[in-house]
Each structure stands twice: as C-alpha cells, then as structure tokens.
Amino acid sequence: MATIYDVARRAQVSAATVSRVLNGRETVDPALAERVLAAVGELGYRRNAVARNLRKQQTSLWAVIISDVENPFFTSMVRGIEDVASAAGCSVVLCNSDENPEKESRYIAVALGEQMAGVIISPSSDRVEDLNLLSSSGCPVVMVDRELKGVRGDAVLVDNENGAEEATAHLVEQGYERIACITGPQRASTATERLRGYRNALEAAGRRANDTLIRMANFRADGGHDAMASLLDEQQPPDAVFVTNNLMTVGALECLVERRLDIPGDVALVGFDEVPWADLVRPSITTVAQPTYEEGRAAAELLARRIAEPDRALTRQILRTSLRVRASSTSHP
Amino acid sequence: MATIYDVARRAQVSAATVSRVLNGRETVDPALAERVLAAVGELGYRRNAVARNLRKQQTSLWAVIISDVENPFFTSMVRGIEDVASAAGCSVVLCNSDENPEKESRYIAVALGEQMAGVIISPSSDRVEDLNLLSSSGCPVVMVDRELKGVRGDAVLVDNENGAEEATAHLVEQGYERIACITGPQRASTATERLRGYRNALEAAGRRANDTLIRMANFRADGGHDAMASLLDEQQPPDAVFVTNNLMTVGALECLVERRLDIPGDVALVGFDEVPWADLVRPSITTVAQPTYEEGRAAAELLARRIAEPDRALTRQILRTSLRVRASSTSHP
DNA sequence: TTGTAGGCGTTATCAC
DNA sequence: GTGATAACGCCTACAA
C-alpha cells in the first residue's frame, strides 16, 4: 500500500505538500498540486484513515447504537441520520445492542477506542457512567428515542406520555371497559412514560388503572405474545389492549389470531410505533405513529452541531406523535 | 486520556510490560502484572484502538455492508453474523448502502481506510474492482445473498433458481393460467436467478414465459407497487404473481388491496423471502423462505476462517430455500 | 522475564 | 508556499 512518502517521491515534493494537497485547506502551488494528484492516481494511493485518526485524535465516523436492528422503527430513523451525516462528510456505522446491556457496553467501548466523532444511541441499559465516559472523553453523545437521566448529552424524544394518553383515551371513547396495557422494561424511559400516559387517560375518564391488566414485557414480539396470553388467561380478560411498541404489538396480534379472537369485536388493539404493514394486516392496526425519519435527522443535526460547538448548552428536543386510527380499535358493538 | 506510559509510570514498569499484560500473550511476572492492572484501574486507562490498529495494521472490526437496513431479511442475517463475530472477539459495524452504488463505494472506502479486519457484503453494484481492491489490500471479502462474478471472495448464497422454480411450479399446480413475475434490478444476481427459476417452471409445464407478464423493479416496496399496477393495467392481466423479494411483495399486496381485488380469487401471490408478518396479513402470504440467520452465521464463519487462513481456496456455499404455502396462493376456484 | 527503541502513516509546527 | 521534523499511542524485535 502506497504512503504519502511514495507519492511525495514520485511527485518530487515533500510529504507535507502531499498532505496539504490532499486536505485542500492550505494553498499549494497549482503545478505541484497537479503533480501530486497525478502521482496519487498512478500509485493508486489511498489515505490511511487509521494513521490520520491517530494524528488528529478523531474519526469522521459516527456510531449509531440501536437497541434492535430488527425493529423497523430504528431502520427508518437510520436513514434520517445517514442523510445528515453524509452532508457533513461523515460516515455512519450501526451497532446493534440487541437490548443487551453487555453488548451495548461493548459497542460504547468500541466507539471510544476507535475515537469515533460522535455517538447516537437509544440506550438499552441504565448505566449512565458508560455514556458519560464517552462524553467526557470528547465523544459527544446524543440520545434518541430513550432518555437516560444524568447523561451529559443532547436528546431527541417524542412525547410518549401524551401519545399513550391519546391512544388510551381513544379506546375509552370507543366504549371499551377493560383496557389493558402491555409495556416494556422499566429501565426504558419510553416504557414508563407510555405506561404513565395510559394511567393518565384512565384517570381522566374517572377510572383507575387495574394492575391485573398491566404487563411489563421485553419490547420484542415474543414478549408481546406471552403478555397477551397471560392477559387473556385472567379471570376477567381485557376487551382492549394498548401495546407500547411495534414488535410487541405483532406478538400480541399473533396471540389473538392463534386464539381465533375477533379484533376488535372480542379484543381491540392499539399499538405504539408505526409498522410498515399496519395497513396490510386484517384488521388494519391503529397505531401511535412517531416521525422516525425526523427523529433521526434531528438527532444527527444535534450531533453535527455539538461536534462543531462542543460547549453549547445541552438540548432536549421533543417531537409529537400522531394517532392513526384504523380498524383494530373501531366499530365496537 | 491516559496512555500506557502513564500506566507504566504508576506501576513502576516499562510501557512494554504494560502492553504485554494487556495483551496477555507473553508471560509476565504476576507481581508486576498485578501492579499494572491496579494502575490501569486507578487511572481508568483504556487502550487507544486507533494507535493499536495503526501499529498492527488491522482492526478487530468487521464491516457488514447491506443493501437495505429496512429489509427484515438482512436484519435477521445480522444477528447470525454478530453471534459468530463476538465469539471471535470481533465487533460488527453495519453499513447501509441503500441499493446505491455510490454509497456502497463510500463504505467500501471506509472499510479499507479504517483497515477493517474483513467485510461481509451483499453487493448493490456490479463494480468488481471496488471489492477486489479490498481483498487485494488484505481485507477479506465475503459475499452474502448476492454474488458478483470475478470478485476474489467467499460467498454464501441460496439456491435462488430452485426456490423460484418451486414457487412458480406451485402456482402452476394450483391451476393459475397467467402467472406474472416481478423481479429486481438486473445487476443483482438474485433477481436474474429467480427470474430464471420462474421461466424454468413455466417451461417445465409446457408453457412459455410471456414478456408482457414480467417486470423489473427496484427491490423496494414502491417498485413492487408500481410493477403490480402496471401488470393489472395490461389488456390481459395476470391471475397470479410471483414477486422475487419481500419488500416488493408488500408493495404488490398494497396495490392489490387498493384495487379491492380478492387474493387469491382475483390474483394469487407468492413472495420470495419470509416476512415477519406473513402470518398476520389476511390472507396470509405464501413465501419462499431463506435461512437468513444461518446465512449470516455461515458468512461470518467463512470470514473468520479466511482471516485465520488467508490462502485457503475460495468457498461458495449454497443453502436451500423452503416454500411456505399459505393462503395467498391456494383454494383457487 | 523485562526494558529499550524504532516505526506504523499522518498531520501540525516550525523554520526557511 | 514549501520542506524537515516531531508527535499521535501502541506493539514488537532485539538486547540485556
């Protein structure tokens, strides 16, 4: 592999000049520049990013640590991030923490060790120190989707409480009596906020949340399935369910289909997060949609901005959700 | 940020000893080792991966360059890769080429510049040189899902031709007369192989493929939608469609639903690639399923093996698909 | 077993 | 504007 010294020799200039030509910041005699470029072409020279990173103490790589690559919610967000990153001349690498705090720690260590320019993360663990280690090492952190209190980093979130409240209120309005909630692990801020919104809506309707109708699952399809099954096995099963994420909604739906229950006749269903196939499923599923692409963009813009101005005040941006009413929660007898 | 020299000073040893303790290959006096470890803890030392990479001319990072993060096909494959990688002490970073040859080139350049230990890719372009540049620079390449002839790299594929043939034969058996095919861009080996399987099945049934019933789309939902619409607008529309990937199947399905056509009464549907919601959609969708997790594992194992033995003969592994018959292609009048 | 020293390929700081 | 030179932090012959 050719180095700048090889190029320098061939172009009859110094390595410093080659570097200057390649980086284009400083002015170089056009004649020399041309010779350098020619030599680069002839030798097929490509800059060694690792050496450059070592010298500059920084990469042009952004790490996006997401809790589940299988979740369409995140994959759409990633597009938003990439669009901003590439405009900023940076590349994005995705890391899949799989809702697993150990894996997450590993990837944080990778981002740190590889001196990535920044990290966008939807935290799977509640280990604040890991993330603060990043930011105190000069690698800015932007949280997206989920917030971890005490982390020095910007955040882009949606109004989970409000979205959940709207969803639940909608079920109340439709006349459902025993509205259950399947939510996620307590350490995820989204899970608790959405549960709170659910409770709020019931209280606003003069009811009380009933603990036998609440389940904490794992934000995955199997968790949603099992939670649904457990709810149906209650003495007094629910006539409606609010599920706080998309994969669990799929699981819950599978469970209902298996048991040949009619939706929304026997049990109504509202999910959080849009799914690409919401309109294809019969009945179509009512969801609380998030502007996922926008969340990605916003997070990426915050990151770009913080890289440019490390000392800005921390920002916390809240986007709005929107209720998409479909067949799974309407036309109740 | 502390360096090994800081640790060395604190532990009263040389930097070389620190390095040895940290890497654990060579033997070090236990007393010294303990002092080193203590110093590491006290200083919160973390090894600078960039410096290490520069010195060793290698990372412990694998790049997985996939053509579409939104496709559940790939996300499941990624799990398979990660499981093998972490067993090999490596970390996986995902790069999304978005079926865009430019983006793909960029990520290949990143992998090269960052001296990644290896690349697993499902090629979106047909630019053989890019990939051969990688492998000739000592960064092994494993192709997965799609093969590019002329690339020096291992490959893990499925028997696309056979899978497509089975799917089409199934439609023939069910009595469909005008079987259409929506396939992907010509540069993708999967698209052409699956089209060939479709043709084979028709010929085996004593029929001829009819070009007015064949569409080349972009492997994305919108492409499937538009291709379906265009097929339905034919003078003699099809009574069955074989769609060669999952996202296009979704698009085609949306189109059929929009036009209020009955599936499989008016038009039967078989898709390639499993989708997580295949059983939830009404009617459920017949698919040609691939062992995606296994493909990921196999690719990762090939990569690990090639990193260990760079001079092994190239391997080409073909896995089998399986037809999952569901409602969208059965009970024809 | 341990330490010394050189170098991985770049970029930034100097003189010129 | 250009060139020499010293880091960046680590690993690994080689010497002791």
Side-chain angles (χ1 to χ4, degrees), chain B residues 3-4 19 45 48 52 55:
Chain B
T3 74
I4 43 172
S19 175
Y45 166 81
N48 181 325
R52 173 178 228 237
R55 179 58 232 250

Side-chain angles (χ1 to χ4, degrees), chain B residues 244-258:
Chain B
T244 65
N245 102 325
N246 51 5
L247 298 185
M248 293 197 302
T249 305
V250 168
L253 186 56
E254 276 166 348
C255 179
L256 293 171
V257 168
E258 275 166 29

Side-chain angles (χ1 to χ4, degrees), chain A residues 275-280 282, chain B residues 221-222 224-225 228 247-260 263 269:
Chain A
V275 287
W277 60 93
D279 280 313
L280 297 177
R282 289 286 160 270
Chain B
D222 60 337
H225 181 282
M228 188 73 242
L247 298 185
M248 293 197 302
T249 305
V250 168
L253 186 56
E254 276 166 348
C255 179
L256 293 171
V257 168
E258 275 166 29
R259 301 211 181 187
R260 306 194 183 291
I263 310 169
L269 192 63

Side-chain angles (χ1 to χ4, degrees), chain A residues 104-115 134, chain B residues 46-47 49:
Chain A
E104 182 177 274
S105 274
R106 259 186 63 172
Y107 281 117
I108 290 175
V110 168
L112 196 59
E114 303 281 342
Q115 317 238 59
L134 272 179
Chain B
R46 334 208 106 216
R47 166 162 67 203

Side-chain angles (χ1 to χ4, degrees), chain B residues 83-97:
Chain B
D83 289 350
V84 175
S86 71
C90 290
S91 301
V92 172
V93 297
L94 269 43
C95 310
N96 176 32
S97 73

